[in-house]
Amino acid sequence: MYAVVGCNECANMWLVTDPETSETASCSRCGKTHRTAKLKRFFESEDRAAARQARSALLAKKRGDSAAFAEVDHVSDLEAAVEDAGLDDREYLEASGLDADAVDAAGERAEGGGSGSRSRTEVVRDAVDAVDEPTESAVVERAATHGVPAEAAREILARLARRGEVTESNGRYRVL
């Protein structure tokens, strides 16, 4: 069971898995812990995709974009379209005459994989959690103090957002 719930502190909406069995849920934006039974449930479904779609529709309505949202495909259809669009990284590298395995190995070395230290991606993700106002500039600055070049931090932040590992709202980022 999935439920779309809202925070009475910051007005964020998020999905709660198994709202009947979990005692508490923490807001994904402000971190406030709520008793699950007292959270307002805007939508409930056994299907996670349906709950995600309902949350998206509620957020669009909240921002006055219901008409534009109605013209957009279902969230899961959009994800499938993104996955099917263009070449994947391996195909692109091989078509460019590069050894994809060698590029992967170089990327692991560049991000600190296997050395015991944190990767650049981990540093950027941690920076999103650590700063009080997680704007792009604050996250990049924090990551730079931990050894990630500013431009690399911006690219990693954008990549994390594309992957859905972080989200951006009103110029502020948060880890999902």
Side-chain angles (χ1 to χ4, degrees):
M1 171 70 82
Y2 298 92
V4 178
V5 298
C7 178
N8 60 7
E9 191 76 20
C10 69
N12 180 40
M13 290 184 190
W14 76 99
L15 293 184
V16 173
T17 305
D18 295 325
E20 299 298 327
T21 59
S22 58
E23 285 192 35
T24 62
S26 295
C27 175
S28 57
R29 181 182 296 155
C30 71
K32 180 179 178 183
T33 301
H34 299 271
R35 294 199 36 81
T36 308
K38 293 189 176 198
L39 282 170
K40 178 169 177 148
R41 296 181 190 177
F42 296 98
F43 181 84
E44 292 180 319
S45 176
E46 294 290 331
D47 182 21
R48 183 175 180 1
R52 289 178 61 213
Q53 184 70 15
R55 177 183 177 268
S56 298
L58 288 165
L59 290 173
K61 182 178 179 183
K62 182 177 176 181
R63 292 184 177 91
D65 294 328
S66 292
F69 181 79
E71 296 175 12
V72 176
D73 290 335
H74 192 279
V75 172
S76 59
D77 294 336
L78 292 173
E79 285 178 344
V82 167
E83 290 296 321
D84 293 340
L87 299 173
D88 68 15
D89 291 342
R90 178 171 281 289
E91 290 172 325
Y92 176 78
L93 290 170
E94 289 174 354
S96 299
L98 298 171
D99 180 359
D101 292 328
V103 171
D104 285 342
E108 284 293 317
R109 286 191 307 275
E111 287 193 349
S115 68
S117 64
R118 293 176 25 232
S119 72
R120 288 180 172 182
T121 302
E122 291 171 323
V123 170
V124 172
R125 189 180 296 115
D126 291 347
V128 172
D129 278 334
V131 296
D132 292 331
E133 290 289 323
T135 62
E136 178 182 289
S137 60
V139 170
V140 168
E141 182 180 326
R142 171 76 178 223
T145 64
H146 289 84
V148 179
E151 191 57 37
R154 280 187 193 84
E155 290 174 14
I156 291 169
L157 188 58
R159 184 173 55 226
L160 289 171
R162 279 193 310 271
R163 289 181 186 165
E165 295 179 38
V166 300
T167 186
E168 182 270 331
S169 176
N170 296 325
R172 293 177 45 151
Y173 289 85
R174 65 182 169 88
V175 176
L176 295 176

